[in-house]
Amino acid sequence: MHEWTSDFPEELLSRLHGEATVGVLTGAGISAASGVPTFRGKDGLWKQYRPEELATPQAFARDPATVWEWYGWRRDLIREARPNAAHHALARLARHVRRLAIITQNVDGLHQRAALPDDVEVIELHGSIWTIRCTQCGREREDRSTGPRPPTLPHCDCGALERPGVVWFGEMLPNREIERAHRVASSCDAFLVVGTSSVVHPAAGLSQVALYSRAYVVEFNLEATPASGHVHLAVAGPCEQTLPALVDRLGQTAS
Ligand code: BV8
Ligand code: ZN
């Protein structure tokens, strides 16, 4: 069902036509070239912690200061980061097709900073690092400051401790976002899976939703993942190179 390739077969190019609806699922690999560490790559560690140990409600209940310190460290990295050629390639791809929707597991907001056309929908499955949520009353607020710094932790007007407005392991994804993501995956002509290890559910299940809904599914990654076995095509290489190459190729066929 798939072969690693460095070229783009007609079957893919023909699916990315002017009337096509395209869904894209992105993961940490699309922001790697912007200097934002991936979760499971070699640079995925922070101090002696693995993300899975920090991105949980239990870790926050046990040691909110350490979890806030990790998010403050990531905020600083992300604030300095710029969208890379992969983010910009998706913005360019939107101009070749009728509708493009981006479903991202990333909380860095880099897609929205890549000059996307207004009609491109970005669905943040796991929330945003710039949102802060009250642990009691649930009030959410945008906060782009240098972030709470231990030992002073943010508290809501109601007096309760505030947490990062993201989805942690063991937590349900927001209904609205997962329903919108399912709608995109089940109604698109082509579904691109970019820079994700496809191990975290329910996001990782979206490529199969697309497949069962007869979309042409393409994976862009450096290496094989659990999704590789069921995609139509796997494009090997750094997505900051392969995605721009795909859009350049579309430009050639369009002219
Ligand atoms: C849920 C927080 C219902 C925000 C994240 C047992 C108990 C409890 C739950 C579970 C369980 N078993 C399974 C589960 C479900 C669990 C899960 O899937 N666990 C996995 C690890 C087995 N899922 C959940 O808990 C979800 N909620 O299911 O609720 C429920 C409730 C209770 C009990 C059961 C079920 C919530 C999942 C959300 C977790 N929050 N982030 C934050 O701080 O960021 S997930 C975290 O992983 C990030 O969001 C990240 O985006 C996501 C996925 O990782 P990737 O994005 O794929 O990044 P990764 O580093 O893994 O891979 C990078 C890839 O890019 C690699 O493939 C690499 O090769 C590639 N790459 C690198 N550079 C490039 C590149 N590719 C191309 N070009 C490059 N240049
Ligand atoms: Zn509150």
Side-chain angles (χ1 to χ4, degrees):
M1 270 288 266
H2 81 286
E3 78 279 353
W4 291 94
T5 170
S6 59
D7 193 5
F8 303 106
E10 191 48 37
E11 198 185 9
L12 166 59
L13 299 173
S14 64
R15 294 276 184 133
L16 299 174
H17 53 75
E19 285 312 302
T21 298
V22 177
V24 190
L25 172 68
T26 65
I30 199 169
S31 296
S34 299
V36 181
T38 62
F39 266 68
R40 293 166 188 85
K42 61 187 180 336
D43 59 0
L45 275 179
W46 174 73
K47 295 191 178 176
Q48 73 280 17
Y49 298 102
R50 290 187 317 109
E52 285 81 357
E53 295 166 314
L54 293 167
T56 71
Q58 293 77 9
F60 187 74
R62 189 175 53 247
D63 185 354
T66 297
V67 173
W68 262 123
E69 194 185 345
W70 178 50
Y71 278 92
W73 174 76
R74 289 173 68 197
R75 278 164 164 252
D76 292 347
L77 276 181
I78 290 166
R79 186 176 293 105
E80 296 310 312
R82 295 280 171 274
N84 65 61
H87 297 103
H88 291 303
L90 292 182
R92 287 168 52 212
L93 175 60
R95 296 181 175 87
H96 282 274
V97 298
R98 185 169 62 81
R99 179 166 170 257
L100 182 84
I102 298 172
I103 305 161
T104 189
Q105 301 170 85
N106 302 337
V107 299
D108 56 32
L110 287 178
H111 284 296
Q112 295 91 324
R113 288 170 50 194
L116 289 169
D118 294 344
D119 62 345
V120 173
E121 186 183 11
V122 179
I123 302 166
E124 292 180 313
L125 285 183
H126 297 158
S128 165
I129 200 163
W130 303 117
T131 303
I132 289 185
R133 183 166 70 234
C134 176
T135 55
Q136 290 305 313
C137 72
R139 185 197 69 168
E140 287 199 345
R141 60 192 174 89
E142 274 285 295
D143 170 284
R144 291 186 177 265
S145 71
T146 54
R149 279 284 183 275
T152 52
L153 295 183
H155 285 78
C156 174
D157 297 346
C158 78
L161 180 63
E162 290 176 302
R163 57 167 280 179
V166 298
V167 180
W168 281 327
F169 288 102
E171 293 187 323
M172 303 298 281
L173 274 63
N175 277 334
R176 185 169 167 273
E177 273 66 24
I178 197 67
E179 280 164 12
R180 285 164 62 200
H182 260 268
R183 202 174 316 124
V184 167
S186 55
S187 63
C188 59
D189 300 299
F191 193 74
L192 315 184
V193 183
V194 183
T196 179
S197 58
S198 287
V199 297
V200 174
H201 288 268
L206 291 169
S207 59
Q208 272 159 323
V209 171
L211 200 73
Y212 298 145
S213 311
R214 322 200 71 67
Y216 184 79
V217 183
V218 199
E219 181 176 36
F220 292 79
N221 203 306
L222 300 174
E223 58 193 14
T225 71
S228 304
H230 62 254
V231 299
H232 291 96
L233 175 74
V235 177
C239 58
E240 63 273 20
Q241 293 172 22
T242 54
L243 280 179
L246 170 63
V247 182
D248 291 346
R249 184 76 180 74
L250 283 176
Q252 290 156 13
T253 47
S255 52

